[in-house]
Amino acid sequence: MNEAFGAKAAGDVAPGEWRRVNPLSIFARTARGLVSGLVPAAFVLFGAARSENFSAAWIVFPILLAIFGAQIGAAWLAWSRTRYRIGENDVRLEQGILSRSARSIPYDRIQDVSLEQRLLPRLLGLVEVKFETGAGGKEELALAYVSEAEGERLRETVRALVDGADTFVEAPAGSAAGPLAGAGEVPVAAADPRTRTLFAMQPRRLLVYGLFSFSLVIFAVILGAAQQFDFLFNVWDWLDVFIEDERYRGAADALAGYSTSAKIAAALYALVTIIVVGMASGVAQVFVRDWGFLLERTAKGFRRRRGLLTKTDVVMPVHRVQALVVSTGWLRRRFGWHGLAFISLAQDSGKANHEVAPFATMDEIAPIVAEAGFTLPGAAVRWWRPAPAYYAIRAGLAVLLVAVALTVAVVVAAAEGTPLWPLLLLIVPVAAWQALRGWYLWRVERHALDRAQVLSKRGWLSPNLQIASRAKLHSAGITQGPFGRWLGYCTLNLGLAGGTMAFRGLRREDARSLRAAVLDSMIATDFSQLPR
């Protein structure tokens, strides 16, 4: 059956032959489908049990069995019609039951190979292999699923082919070759004695990090669950009854009967509850995302592993780090906590891509920065401040927008006979606030060049420092809007393979000087000699 399809399901094959994903992926796909199919059906059954027509609900059980059988059949068909090949020039994946698709990625486009383990595949010892091209952080091809050992061999083999290195040696007598190795060959994956830990987060650090990661996402989850299972309890119907029957009047009267101290205590209790729930939600998110966080320096580059339910294993070659970002928050910086992230050609899964030290002190961040080939700014760095007119225009436009909105509200209220002209007085504190904010930003936002880097400090409540290598910049351009041409400021845009940097509000002469220095570095760099 499988022979006709041209792929082998087991045994050793040489690179270039077709392979199937692990047969256990059938169970992983089935379990994933059951979560999306049987769980809602179970809630439907529970709702039917509460109804008056439960006598006819027996038919639900055959439906559940049919769903289970359909999921297994679909998973088996998907597995039997999926094959992949590590070829001489590309990685190729063919899949599909009724509609077939064939996708391939040439090695010269692959930036990285990462491994990801969600909870169910992890219990089965499976991983998902993602071949990343740096195309907006989206992997172009993913193999779901292979064994953990085969995933490691796939990653090492493809990286060797990408880098043009020969990583195959003769296997010792009696050794078992991997799925990608031919008879008598195994890929070299020996542990490098130079591998060392750069950063790790223990449970205590995760707890502190979670306390600073305040989040109210739990309320959104509760609201979404209420909408999904409205047959059990319909929140919106309850609110309609609460308003239509004027039940809120009774609640208001009861609240009015409390003493002032009781009202203050109730308000404090509500505030403390929100804070506790927000902190607990933040701790839960951090523990699920960053459990076992470990950053190592290996012969291949930076290796980062993390995750409780979904475990990710990403290796980032040093030469592909285009820039780095040191960030912090309005509260955590008071306690000396910062985060470090890399901007790279390849992107791993998740919103926060390439976080290598999400919650660390500057003493912990400095060695990682040095390993990446960058340096933190010293006292000798010359910083360039943006033009004051840039912030004055931004503040003026914000005040103008607020003034227009308040004026419209006053005019509408006056037409209805409701005097709201005192609202216009709000323009004064808004203008003062914007002026103070603009002055503060002008003082803290700065840009600089040193011999090998471009640096940018930005942000108000959550400041960040961005550092990029001058040798890896691809372009330098100046743009000006109408106010910039009138008042003499502009934006300097610096192009990176993994992103962009923008120095906004620079004086024209400063921007031209910076661009000239950057162009001199670009002209002096032979890009063909830089590692891919």
Side-chain angles (χ1 to χ4, degrees):
M1 178 177 58
N2 292 336
E3 298 288 339
F5 191 60
K8 296 183 179 181
D12 297 335
V13 295
E17 294 193 16
W18 289 101
R19 290 284 294 169
R20 294 203 188 283
V21 295
N22 196 287
L24 289 178
S25 62
I26 297 174
F27 299 99
R29 292 176 181 272
T30 300
R32 186 176 61 184
L34 292 178
V35 170
S36 59
L38 288 183
V39 172
F43 276 100
V44 172
L45 178 60
F46 178 75
R50 299 181 58 193
S51 67
E52 298 179 356
N53 298 325
F54 180 64
S55 58
W58 62 268
I59 197 173
V60 175
F61 292 101
I63 294 177
L64 295 180
L65 292 176
I67 293 175
F68 182 76
Q71 289 292 343
I72 292 180
W76 181 85
L77 284 174
W79 171 81
S80 65
R81 300 292 288 170
T82 300
R83 63 177 185 172
Y84 67 93
R85 182 182 67 185
I86 307 300
E88 296 182 359
N89 302 309
D90 62 359
V91 178
R92 186 177 180 87
L93 172 66
E94 296 184 358
Q95 59 186 348
I97 300 175
L98 299 179
S99 177
R100 298 286 292 169
S101 67
R103 303 172 62 190
S104 65
I105 304 180
Y107 292 130
D108 58 2
R109 287 189 54 205
I110 295 177
Q111 302 298 337
D112 198 10
V113 183
S114 62
L115 306 180
E116 181 177 299
Q117 282 184 300
R118 298 185 182 274
L119 179 59
L120 290 174
R122 188 175 179 182
L123 295 176
L124 296 172
L126 304 177
V127 297
E128 183 176 8
V129 184
K130 295 185 176 182
F131 301 91
E132 302 165 355
T133 64
K138 180 181 179 182
E139 72 278 357
E140 293 293 331
L141 188 146
L143 295 179
Y145 302 90
V146 298
S147 66
E148 295 178 353
E150 185 172 354
E152 288 285 353
R153 284 190 290 268
L154 272 170
R155 177 162 65 179
E156 294 301 319
T157 300
V158 171
R159 280 185 177 147
L161 292 170
V162 169
D163 295 334
D166 184 7
T167 61
F168 290 91
V169 298
E170 290 296 322
S175 65
L180 294 179
E185 293 180 332
V186 294
V188 173
D192 190 340
R194 295 173 298 174
T195 297
R196 61 190 185 278
T197 299
L198 296 179
F199 181 74
M201 289 200 294
Q202 302 300 324
R204 183 177 178 181
R205 175 71 66 88
L206 292 175
L207 176 61
V208 178
Y209 182 23
L211 294 177
F212 281 95
S213 302
F214 184 87
S215 174
L216 295 178
V217 68
I218 185 64
F219 292 107
V221 173
I222 294 174
L223 183 60
Q227 291 179 325
Q228 290 294 325
F229 308 122
D230 55 357
F231 58 86
L232 300 176
F233 179 74
N234 195 320
V235 177
W236 308 114
D237 290 344
W238 179 83
L239 287 176
D240 290 340
V241 173
F242 185 78
I243 295 175
E244 291 178 0
D245 295 351
E246 297 185 351
R247 295 182 182 179
Y248 58 88
R249 293 184 180 273
D253 293 339
L255 183 61
Y258 293 156
S259 62
T260 303
S261 58
K263 294 178 182 178
I264 294 176
L268 291 176
Y269 176 78
L271 180 61
V272 170
T273 300
I274 292 175
I275 293 175
V276 170
V277 171
M279 287 185 173
S281 179
V283 169
Q285 289 186 71
V286 167
F287 268 77
V288 170
R289 183 186 66 228
D290 293 320
W291 179 262
F293 192 102
L294 180 63
L295 178 70
E296 295 176 312
R297 179 65 166 92
T298 69
K300 295 292 185 179
F302 297 98
R303 183 180 186 182
R304 190 204 68 191
R305 287 172 282 180
R306 67 175 179 177
L308 181 61
L309 300 181
T310 298
K311 184 178 179 180
T312 58
D313 185 347
V314 180
V315 178
M316 192 187 324
V318 176
H319 62 265
R320 291 179 186 168
V321 179
Q322 304 293 297
L324 55 85
V325 179
V326 180
S327 59
T328 185
W330 67 273
L331 180 60
R332 67 182 64 178
R333 66 173 173 167
R334 304 293 181 185
F335 296 87
W337 296 111
H338 298 77
L340 175 65
F342 288 160
I343 298 176
S344 175
L345 294 176
Q347 302 290 326
D348 64 318
S349 61
K351 180 181 179 181
N353 290 321
H354 292 156
E355 286 184 322
V356 293
F359 194 71
T361 63
M362 290 304 297
D363 291 337
E364 294 171 325
I365 288 176
I368 306 175
V369 172
E371 287 287 344
F374 294 84
T375 58
L376 294 173
V381 174
R382 178 192 175 188
W383 293 97
W384 306 66
R385 276 201 176 101
Y390 170 69
Y391 296 102
I393 291 296
R394 291 178 60 185
L397 292 176
V399 172
L400 179 62
L401 180 63
V402 173
V404 171
L406 291 176
T407 302
V408 172
V410 169
V411 171
V412 173
E416 297 178 354
T418 304
L420 292 179
W421 62 267
L423 280 176
L424 293 176
L425 298 178
L426 291 176
I427 297 176
V428 177
V430 169
W433 171 258
Q434 289 294 333
L436 179 62
R437 180 175 178 272
W439 174 81
Y440 181 78
L441 288 175
W442 174 76
R443 287 186 57 85
V444 300
E445 293 191 347
R446 292 173 289 172
H447 315 290
L449 287 181
D450 62 18
R451 291 186 305 170
Q453 303 174 144
V454 291
L455 307 98
S456 175
K457 286 185 177 180
R458 299 190 62 83
W460 178 32
L461 294 178
S462 300
N464 68 74
L465 168 66
Q466 189 171 358
I467 306 175
S469 170
R470 289 172 63 170
K472 296 180 180 179
L473 294 176
H474 291 183
S475 63
I478 293 177
T479 59
Q480 278 186 293
F483 290 107
R485 290 195 298 270
W486 175 37
L487 297 174
Y489 64 83
C490 59
T491 298
L492 176 62
N493 296 299
L494 303 175
L496 281 170
T500 58
M501 292 183 68
F503 295 177
R504 296 182 178 87
L506 290 177
R507 296 179 179 88
R508 265 196 300 259
E509 56 272 19
D510 292 345
R512 289 168 180 167
S513 299
L514 287 170
R515 183 178 64 173
V518 169
L519 290 176
D520 288 342
S521 300
M522 295 169 59
I523 293 173
T525 301
D526 185 357
F527 289 95
S528 64
Q529 300 301 318
L530 292 177
R532 292 195 288 116

